[in-house]
């Protein structure tokens, strides 16, 4: 067994422990509102993940949480919200979410080299804040992403709760499927982007100045983030079609803001630092997000 395979087995065990902590939290911490119960379970799992991040001295322990937890919540919806009553729209949404979640998780596993690797943004924060890193580690790098993912996902309760099946959609059915299609296409964009990125990383005779601009990367500098934004806005549209309140979309808006004003600028700064001339040319010729 290689060191990477050992690391994958270890982090799988860690996430099983994280999942068990979520189930126990939901079963035994009841505040009288299932949405809050789910959120509390999500926070408990985040705390457990943070503890393992500290033990491993690697904040990238959290990286898989982003894609794993939506599927985990989906399974919870099935068991706690009457999954036996789901109809075609619910199973359509479940398929889209599962496709996105498993694809992104497998892509992460494929690209994760092991415990010796930590995302450059986390390393920069460690170096910048020194002893003050841990509060930022928990609040900004663990808790905030958990909150923004939960806010972006909780509107789907209106889709999956069997009680909503008797209320029905307040919009025409095609409105729901527009959201499902948007989310699915977003997942396809990410699949294409990740496959191109994997090929690029395995290229022969790599040079530090090389820039990935084949396939979808030749149309957008951030096709993976574009896919993410499409996925989350698609969920908001599906939720709204099932009578979710307008503010259920605020999580998706927050997701968009995080990508546009944090993730992409940090990535651009790193690219400019490592490949200034090549990235400057790439930046002038290829759109920041939208592929046109």
């Amino acid at each position: 067994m290689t060191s990477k395979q050992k690391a994958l087995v270890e982090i799988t065990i860690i996430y099983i422990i994280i999942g068990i902590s979520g189930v126990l939290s939901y079963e035994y911490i009841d505040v009288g509102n299932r949405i809050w119960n789910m959120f509390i379970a999500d926070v408990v799992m985040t705390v457990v993940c943070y503890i393992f991040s500290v033990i491993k001295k690697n904040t990238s322990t959290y990286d898989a949480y982003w894609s794993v937890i939506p599927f985990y919540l989906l399974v919870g919806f099935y068991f706690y919200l009457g999954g036996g009553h789901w109809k075609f729209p619910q199973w359509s949404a479940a398929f889209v979410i599962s496709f996105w979640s498993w694809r992104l998780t497998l892509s992460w596993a494929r690209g994760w080299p092991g415990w010796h690797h930590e995302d450059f943004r986390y390393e920069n924060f460690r170096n910048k804040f020194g002893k003050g890193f841990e509060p930022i580690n928990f609040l900004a790098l663990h808790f905030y992403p958990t909150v923004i993912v939960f806010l972006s996902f909780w509107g789907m309760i209106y889709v999956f709760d069997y009680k909503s099946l008797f209320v029905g959609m307040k919009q025409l059915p095609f409105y729901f499927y527009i959201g499902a299609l948007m989310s699915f296409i977003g997942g396809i964009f990410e699949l294409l982007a990740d496959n191109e990125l994997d090929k690029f990383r395995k290229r022969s005779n790599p040079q530090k100045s090389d820039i990935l601009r084949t396939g979808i990367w030749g149309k957008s500098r951030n096709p993976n983030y574009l896919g993410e934004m499409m996925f989350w806005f698609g969920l908001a549209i599906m939720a709204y079609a099932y009578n979710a309140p307008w503010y259920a979309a605020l999580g998706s808006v927050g997701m968009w803001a995080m990508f546009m004003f944090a993730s992409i600028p940090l990535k651009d700064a790193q690219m400019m630092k490592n490949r200034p001339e090549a990235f400057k040319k790439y930046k002038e010729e290829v759109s920041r997000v939208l592929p046109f």
Side-chain angles (χ1 to χ4, degrees):
M1 184 179 291
T2 65
S3 60
K4 177 176 177 175
Q5 289 172 332
K6 291 179 181 178
L8 285 172
V9 169
E10 186 175 353
I11 201 165
T12 299
I13 293 171
I14 287 173
Y15 271 83
I16 290 173
I17 295 171
I18 290 170
I20 292 172
S21 73
V23 172
L24 294 176
S25 172
Y26 189 84
E27 291 288 346
Y28 296 104
I29 303 177
D30 186 1
V31 297
N33 182 291
R34 62 186 167 203
I35 295 177
W36 279 106
N37 289 348
M38 288 181 178
F39 178 66
I40 290 171
D42 202 358
V43 172
V44 168
M45 290 189 289
T46 301
V47 171
V48 174
C49 186
Y50 168 72
I51 291 171
F52 279 111
S53 293
V54 172
I55 292 172
K56 301 300 295 184
K57 297 180 181 179
N58 192 323
T59 300
S60 283
T61 303
Y62 182 86
D63 287 351
Y65 195 94
W66 180 278
S67 59
V68 168
I69 292 306
F71 180 78
Y72 183 83
L73 292 174
L74 175 64
V75 173
F77 288 173
Y78 180 85
F79 286 105
Y80 292 111
L81 299 181
H85 298 279
W86 286 1
K87 298 180 180 179
F88 186 74
Q90 285 69 41
W91 285 110
S92 298
F95 168 77
V96 169
I97 293 167
S98 299
F99 170 74
W100 172 86
S101 176
W102 280 97
R103 186 217 61 77
L104 188 56
T105 302
L106 290 173
S107 177
W108 164 82
R110 178 175 62 179
W112 185 56
W115 290 115
H116 63 277
H117 168 79
E118 187 176 41
D119 189 286
F120 75 89
R121 290 165 292 190
Y122 307 153
E123 291 182 343
N124 290 344
F125 281 129
R126 285 184 188 277
N127 295 332
K128 182 177 180 180
F129 294 102
K131 294 181 179 180
F133 171 69
E134 286 308 325
I136 294 171
N137 188 17
F138 177 70
L139 294 174
L141 305 181
H142 286 77
F143 184 69
Y144 176 77
T146 290
V147 171
I148 202 68
V149 168
F150 189 86
L151 287 176
S152 300
F153 197 77
W154 77 270
M156 296 304 291
I157 290 176
Y158 289 85
V159 176
F160 290 112
D161 189 349
Y162 76 95
K163 294 178 182 178
S164 69
L165 306 186
F166 303 105
V167 177
M169 303 182 190
K170 69 179 179 182
Q171 303 292 338
L172 295 175
F174 76 85
Y175 194 78
F176 171 85
Y177 292 112
I178 287 174
L181 182 62
M182 179 184 291
S183 291
F184 182 67
I185 291 175
I188 293 295
F189 276 7
E190 291 184 89
L191 175 63
L192 295 174
D194 286 347
N195 285 342
E196 289 288 345
L197 181 59
D198 185 62
K199 291 179 183 177
F200 178 75
R201 287 171 173 167
K202 295 176 180 177
R203 68 195 185 280
S204 59
N205 191 29
Q207 302 296 318
K208 188 176 181 180
S209 60
D210 290 346
I211 293 283
L212 170 59
R213 52 185 307 171
T214 57
I216 196 171
W217 291 90
K219 302 295 183 180
S220 168
R221 301 201 310 271
N222 296 281
N224 49 345
Y225 290 142
L226 171 61
E228 281 287 303
M229 289 184 275
M230 290 180 65
F231 173 77
W232 295 107
F233 275 115
L235 294 193
I237 293 172
M238 284 190 279
Y240 185 69
Y242 265 95
N243 301 293
W246 65 268
Y247 49 82
L250 292 179
S252 299
V253 173
M255 192 76 71
W256 169 84
M258 181 177 68
F259 287 129
M260 296 299 291
F261 301 110
S263 298
I264 292 177
L266 284 171
K267 177 186 170 185
D268 284 355
Q270 184 74 5
M271 292 286 286
M272 185 62 75
K273 176 182 177 182
N274 293 335
R275 306 168 178 85
E277 293 184 8
F279 183 68
K280 182 180 179 181
K281 187 174 186 294
Y282 181 47
K283 191 174 181 181
E284 292 172 350
E285 296 176 351
V286 178
S287 170
R288 187 184 193 209
V289 177
L290 297 176
F292 51 77

